[in-house]
Amino acid sequence: MQKQLDKIESKNSYSIGQLEKIGDHIARLATHGEPFMTAVPGLSFHRYDEPVQANSATYEPSLCLAVQGSKRVQVGDKSFTYDASHFLITSVHLPTFVEVLKANPEKPYLGLVLRFDQRELSQLMVDSNLPAPRVQKSSLGMSTSQLTPELLSAFQRLVDLLDQPDDIPILAPIINKEILYRLLIGDQGTRLRQIASMGSQSHQIARAIDWLKGNFFQSLRVEDLASEVNMSVSTFHQHFRLMTGLSPLQYQKQIRLHEARMMMLNEQVDAATAAFKVGYESPSQFSREYKRMYGAPPLRDVKELGQVGLSN
């Protein structure tokens, strides 16, 4: 029996040791509920000392890894759970609800997020002579995959650069490119190449999502947005929902409400001011939709939530 346990431990020791080393960095630098932005561009650390109930958050194009504990992320009517064995990948900006499932002071949730840019993916496809995928329907812009030894090794080397800050400007871009390359040739490659391929329907929807994320406070005419990305309104609606789990108007509403909530929490503005800033013309409509999304009117919700936030 002991020989069998030793064999299992030996087989998995590479990943256990690497996860522990990454976790040591996160535990040392991050504090509960406060994202820590590292000196490596796009890399942040996250720690929670206790479970956190589902809360709204906007996920950027990124790869998320939990080296200890687990999280559940809900997009539309679908949910994804990731832990030390699985990573979460998000290919477009998505409004979500996030829940920390496993965490306590002795074994806190420890995770990292690496943001990436679609332009980097497109350039890497060209540099690596990776073919564009065959045309297919858009798919939801979030998924989970098994963490591979190669990907984990690259992440450990990226995190280790924090102990050698002079090396970061030269080596971080190289390791980052390796991580993107391994994503492109792995289980998520088709999803990412669809979005990075100019002219594909997924790429067109990604452009529309980028516009909505940056202009959520403006009035939205779906017809104009569909025209901007050279799609019929019906095709645009179909592919937008496939990629985000939401209609364009639902997407805009969730982004607006989340941004207003963050304003009230972090800038101490009142509900009416937040409503107008995110594009609502009627504070009463804002309050109704806010309560429907968060289960309480703005004033009570923000008071109960206090300064506790939830990030990737």
Side-chain angles (χ1 to χ4, degrees):
M1 182 65 175
Q2 186 59 47
K3 288 184 178 180
Q4 185 178 5
L5 290 174
D6 290 341
K7 184 178 180 181
I8 293 173
E9 183 178 357
S10 175
K11 181 180 179 181
N12 295 316
S13 60
Y14 72 92
S15 60
I16 293 173
Q18 288 171 321
L19 288 169
E20 287 178 346
K21 288 181 180 179
I22 296 172
D24 287 343
H25 276 90
I26 299 172
R28 187 171 71 248
L29 297 172
T31 57
H32 173 72
E34 294 293 333
F36 178 83
M37 306 306 299
T38 74
V40 174
L43 179 67
S44 59
F45 290 163
H46 304 261
R47 172 178 179 156
Y48 291 94
D49 296 332
E50 59 188 26
V52 180
Q53 293 183 345
N55 206 341
S56 65
T58 300
Y59 270 58
E60 300 176 272
S62 58
L63 187 152
C64 303
L65 176 62
V67 301
Q68 184 170 277
S70 61
K71 269 188 181 181
R72 179 186 296 130
V73 183
Q74 183 169 339
V75 181
D77 60 355
K78 291 185 172 60
S79 65
F80 302 89
T81 299
Y82 63 102
D83 52 23
S85 300
H86 301 83
F87 65 87
L88 178 86
I89 186 166
T90 308
S91 53
V92 292
H93 287 90
L94 289 175
T96 69
F97 281 87
V98 188
E99 182 179 5
V100 177
L101 300 176
K102 293 182 180 180
N104 60 61
E106 289 73 35
K107 293 191 68 175
Y109 170 89
L110 302 172
L112 61 79
V113 176
L114 180 64
R115 299 193 309 274
F116 57 78
D117 190 293
Q118 291 174 7
R119 289 169 295 184
E120 294 177 2
L121 286 172
S122 299
Q123 187 60 51
L124 187 56
M125 284 177 59
V126 173
D127 294 344
S128 307
N129 291 318
L130 292 172
R134 288 178 295 178
V135 176
Q136 61 181 30
K137 283 189 176 181
S138 302
S139 57
L140 190 64
M142 181 175 282
S143 186
T144 56
S145 279
Q146 187 81 26
L147 182 63
T148 64
E150 295 81 9
L151 201 53
L152 182 57
S153 175
F155 266 109
Q156 186 197 336
R157 284 182 275 115
L158 190 67
V159 171
D160 283 347
L161 289 178
L162 296 174
D163 295 329
Q164 301 159 326
D166 291 343
D167 294 343
I168 291 175
I170 302 301
L171 297 182
I174 296 172
I175 301 173
N176 188 59
K177 182 176 288 189
E178 177 188 346
I179 290 171
L180 292 180
Y181 174 76
R182 296 201 177 283
L183 291 175
L184 285 171
I185 63 173
D187 292 344
Q188 299 300 322
T190 299
R191 178 191 309 274
L192 293 175
R193 280 184 277 163
Q194 280 281 351
I195 290 171
S197 298
M198 295 292 291
S200 70
Q201 290 175 320
S202 295
H203 180 80
Q204 290 168 292
I205 296 298
R207 283 176 50 208
I209 289 171
D210 283 345
W211 186 92
L212 270 176
K213 180 64 174 62
N215 300 275
F216 60 84
F217 48 85
Q218 295 189 23
S219 297
L220 173 62
R221 291 189 75 254
V222 177
E223 296 84 355
D224 293 341
L225 193 53
S227 176
E228 183 67 25
V229 296
N230 300 313
M231 282 183 162
S232 69
V233 174
S234 60
T235 300
F236 179 76
H237 264 286
Q238 177 189 8
H239 286 272
F240 193 97
R241 186 176 286 277
L242 284 170
M243 188 171 287
T244 67
L246 303 164
S247 71
L249 290 173
Q250 288 172 329
Y251 182 98
Q252 183 193 52
K253 182 189 297 184
Q254 288 201 19
I255 292 290
R256 281 181 168 182
L257 292 173
H258 173 72
E259 292 293 332
R261 197 185 202 201
M262 293 301 100
M263 284 182 193
M264 290 185 288
L265 276 170
N266 301 326
E267 301 173 25
Q268 286 78 51
V269 302
D270 59 70
T273 300
F276 288 128
K277 280 191 172 184
V278 300
Y280 278 89
E281 297 180 358
S282 166
S284 59
Q285 180 189 3
F286 168 74
S287 293
R288 286 195 303 272
E289 294 185 352
Y290 190 102
K291 182 178 180 180
R292 193 175 300 124
M293 182 164 170
Y294 294 116
L299 182 61
R300 194 173 83 203
D301 174 65
V302 171
K303 185 177 179 181
E304 292 175 352
L305 196 59
Q307 296 303 313
V308 178
L310 187 62
S311 55
N312 294 27

